[in-house]
PDB file of all heavy atoms in Angstrom:
ATOM      1  N   LYS Y  37       8.879 -11.435 -14.573  1.00  0.00           N
ATOM      2  CA  LYS Y  37       7.829 -10.596 -14.979  1.00  0.00           C
ATOM      3  C   LYS Y  37       7.860  -9.143 -14.514  1.00  0.00           C
ATOM      4  O   LYS Y  37       7.318  -8.269 -15.136  1.00  0.00           O
ATOM      5  CB  LYS Y  37       6.546 -11.215 -14.685  1.00  0.00           C
ATOM      6  CG  LYS Y  37       6.166 -12.491 -15.339  1.00  0.00           C
ATOM      7  CD  LYS Y  37       4.848 -13.203 -15.033  1.00  0.00           C
ATOM      8  CE  LYS Y  37       4.646 -14.409 -15.639  1.00  0.00           C
ATOM      9  NZ  LYS Y  37       3.288 -14.990 -15.323  1.00  0.00           N
ATOM     10  N   THR Y  38       8.472  -8.918 -13.465  1.00  0.00           N
ATOM     11  CA  THR Y  38       8.393  -7.520 -12.792  1.00  0.00           C
ATOM     12  C   THR Y  38       9.835  -7.008 -12.424  1.00  0.00           C
ATOM     13  O   THR Y  38      10.744  -7.829 -12.373  1.00  0.00           O
ATOM     14  CB  THR Y  38       7.524  -7.433 -11.581  1.00  0.00           C
ATOM     15  OG1 THR Y  38       7.992  -8.465 -10.601  1.00  0.00           O
ATOM     16  CG2 THR Y  38       6.173  -7.954 -12.045  1.00  0.00           C
ATOM     17  N   GLU Y  39       9.759  -5.798 -12.036  1.00  0.00           N
ATOM     18  CA  GLU Y  39      11.000  -5.064 -11.629  1.00  0.00           C
ATOM     19  C   GLU Y  39      10.544  -4.245 -10.266  1.00  0.00           C
ATOM     20  O   GLU Y  39       9.532  -3.607 -10.323  1.00  0.00           O
ATOM     21  CB  GLU Y  39      11.470  -4.039 -12.634  1.00  0.00           C
ATOM     22  CG  GLU Y  39      11.940  -4.643 -13.877  1.00  0.00           C
ATOM     23  CD  GLU Y  39      12.225  -3.610 -14.927  1.00  0.00           C
ATOM     24  OE1 GLU Y  39      11.954  -2.395 -14.771  1.00  0.00           O
ATOM     25  OE2 GLU Y  39      12.688  -4.048 -15.880  1.00  0.00           O
ATOM     26  N   SER Y  40      11.321  -4.520  -9.183  1.00  0.00           N
ATOM     27  CA  SER Y  40      11.043  -3.783  -7.964  1.00  0.00           C
ATOM     28  C   SER Y  40      11.995  -2.382  -8.093  1.00  0.00           C
ATOM     29  O   SER Y  40      13.247  -2.693  -8.358  1.00  0.00           O
ATOM     30  CB  SER Y  40      11.398  -4.476  -6.830  1.00  0.00           C
ATOM     31  OG  SER Y  40      10.524  -5.531  -6.554  1.00  0.00           O
ATOM     32  N   LEU Y  41      11.433  -1.288  -7.897  1.00  0.00           N
ATOM     33  CA  LEU Y  41      12.193  -0.057  -8.148  1.00  0.00           C
ATOM     34  C   LEU Y  41      12.242   0.687  -6.814  1.00  0.00           C
ATOM     35  O   LEU Y  41      11.318   0.733  -5.999  1.00  0.00           O
ATOM     36  CB  LEU Y  41      11.511   0.825  -9.085  1.00  0.00           C
ATOM     37  CG  LEU Y  41      11.184   0.148 -10.461  1.00  0.00           C
ATOM     38  CD1 LEU Y  41      10.479   1.056 -11.387  1.00  0.00           C
ATOM     39  CD2 LEU Y  41      12.521  -0.377 -11.189  1.00  0.00           C
ATOM     40  N   ARG Y  42      13.236   1.541  -6.568  1.00  0.00           N
ATOM     41  CA  ARG Y  42      13.334   2.552  -5.598  1.00  0.00           C
ATOM     42  C   ARG Y  42      13.316   3.746  -6.303  1.00  0.00           C
ATOM     43  O   ARG Y  42      14.139   4.041  -7.199  1.00  0.00           O
ATOM     44  CB  ARG Y  42      14.591   2.506  -4.836  1.00  0.00           C
ATOM     45  CG  ARG Y  42      14.509   3.474  -3.651  1.00  0.00           C
ATOM     46  CD  ARG Y  42      15.856   3.573  -3.007  1.00  0.00           C
ATOM     47  NE  ARG Y  42      16.675   4.505  -3.976  1.00  0.00           N
ATOM     48  CZ  ARG Y  42      18.103   4.400  -3.977  1.00  0.00           C
ATOM     49  NH1 ARG Y  42      18.734   3.706  -3.218  1.00  0.00           N
ATOM     50  NH2 ARG Y  42      18.703   5.131  -4.886  1.00  0.00           N
ATOM     51  N   ILE Y  43      12.118   4.635  -6.082  1.00  0.00           N
ATOM     52  CA  ILE Y  43      12.107   5.877  -6.908  1.00  0.00           C
ATOM     53  C   ILE Y  43      12.194   7.082  -5.929  1.00  0.00           C
ATOM     54  O   ILE Y  43      11.424   7.004  -4.756  1.00  0.00           O
ATOM     55  CB  ILE Y  43      10.697   5.883  -7.568  1.00  0.00           C
ATOM     56  CG1 ILE Y  43      10.777   4.747  -8.578  1.00  0.00           C
ATOM     57  CG2 ILE Y  43      10.496   7.294  -8.327  1.00  0.00           C
ATOM     58  CD1 ILE Y  43       9.347   4.713  -9.261  1.00  0.00           C
ATOM     59  N   ILE Y  44      12.921   7.948  -6.212  1.00  0.00           N
ATOM     60  CA  ILE Y  44      13.153   9.302  -5.431  1.00  0.00           C
ATOM     61  C   ILE Y  44      12.569  10.386  -6.403  1.00  0.00           C
ATOM     62  O   ILE Y  44      13.146  10.549  -7.518  1.00  0.00           O
ATOM     63  CB  ILE Y  44      14.440   9.577  -4.932  1.00  0.00           C
ATOM     64  CG1 ILE Y  44      14.926   8.359  -4.074  1.00  0.00           C
ATOM     65  CG2 ILE Y  44      14.604  10.865  -4.320  1.00  0.00           C
ATOM     66  CD1 ILE Y  44      16.450   8.441  -3.776  1.00  0.00           C
ATOM     67  N   ILE Y  45      11.616  11.087  -5.869  1.00  0.00           N
ATOM     68  CA  ILE Y  45      10.993  12.255  -6.659  1.00  0.00           C
ATOM     69  C   ILE Y  45      11.272  13.590  -5.965  1.00  0.00           C
ATOM     70  O   ILE Y  45      10.967  13.703  -4.739  1.00  0.00           O
ATOM     71  CB  ILE Y  45       9.539  12.062  -7.022  1.00  0.00           C
ATOM     72  CG1 ILE Y  45       9.390  10.826  -7.865  1.00  0.00           C
ATOM     73  CG2 ILE Y  45       8.912  13.279  -7.500  1.00  0.00           C
ATOM     74  CD1 ILE Y  45       7.940  10.379  -8.058  1.00  0.00           C
ATOM     75  N   ASP Y  46      11.811  14.520  -6.637  1.00  0.00           N
ATOM     76  CA  ASP Y  46      11.981  15.921  -6.144  1.00  0.00           C
ATOM     77  C   ASP Y  46      10.880  16.808  -6.783  1.00  0.00           C
ATOM     78  O   ASP Y  46      10.755  16.751  -8.050  1.00  0.00           O
ATOM     79  CB  ASP Y  46      13.329  16.486  -6.441  1.00  0.00           C
ATOM     80  CG  ASP Y  46      14.410  15.772  -5.578  1.00  0.00           C
ATOM     81  OD1 ASP Y  46      14.126  15.155  -4.614  1.00  0.00           O
ATOM     82  OD2 ASP Y  46      15.561  15.833  -6.155  1.00  0.00           O
ATOM     83  N   GLY Y  47      10.183  17.552  -5.982  1.00  0.00           N
ATOM     84  CA  GLY Y  47       9.253  18.435  -6.522  1.00  0.00           C
ATOM     85  C   GLY Y  47       7.926  18.448  -5.524  1.00  0.00           C
ATOM     86  O   GLY Y  47       7.864  17.731  -4.471  1.00  0.00           O
ATOM     87  N   ASN Y  48       6.968  19.020  -6.071  1.00  0.00           N
ATOM     88  CA  ASN Y  48       5.625  19.105  -5.346  1.00  0.00           C
ATOM     89  C   ASN Y  48       4.731  18.264  -6.102  1.00  0.00           C
ATOM     90  O   ASN Y  48       4.215  18.597  -7.145  1.00  0.00           O
ATOM     91  CB  ASN Y  48       5.272  20.561  -5.245  1.00  0.00           C
ATOM     92  CG  ASN Y  48       3.965  20.846  -4.383  1.00  0.00           C
ATOM     93  OD1 ASN Y  48       3.592  19.825  -3.619  1.00  0.00           O
ATOM     94  ND2 ASN Y  48       3.288  21.937  -4.499  1.00  0.00           N
ATOM     95  N   VAL Y  49       4.329  17.053  -5.480  1.00  0.00           N
ATOM     96  CA  VAL Y  49       3.572  16.149  -6.190  1.00  0.00           C
ATOM     97  C   VAL Y  49       2.313  15.791  -5.507  1.00  0.00           C
ATOM     98  O   VAL Y  49       2.445  15.519  -4.223  1.00  0.00           O
ATOM     99  CB  VAL Y  49       4.528  14.847  -6.484  1.00  0.00           C
ATOM    100  CG1 VAL Y  49       3.736  13.828  -7.205  1.00  0.00           C
ATOM    101  CG2 VAL Y  49       5.683  15.177  -7.162  1.00  0.00           C
ATOM    102  N   ASP Y  50       1.280  15.552  -6.074  1.00  0.00           N
ATOM    103  CA  ASP Y  50       0.058  15.144  -5.574  1.00  0.00           C
ATOM    104  C   ASP Y  50       0.108  13.511  -5.632  1.00  0.00           C
ATOM    105  O   ASP Y  50       0.145  12.958  -6.672  1.00  0.00           O
ATOM    106  CB  ASP Y  50      -1.160  15.567  -6.274  1.00  0.00           C
ATOM    107  CG  ASP Y  50      -2.468  15.067  -5.744  1.00  0.00           C
ATOM    108  OD1 ASP Y  50      -2.770  13.886  -6.033  1.00  0.00           O
ATOM    109  OD2 ASP Y  50      -3.146  15.766  -5.010  1.00  0.00           O
TER     110      ASP Y  50
END
Side-chain angles (χ1 to χ4, degrees):
K37 295 183 181 181
T38 61
E39 299 171 350
S40 293
L41 309 175
R42 185 192 74 206
I43 300 179
I44 300 169
I45 295 175
D46 291 336
N48 185 13
V49 182
D50 179 281

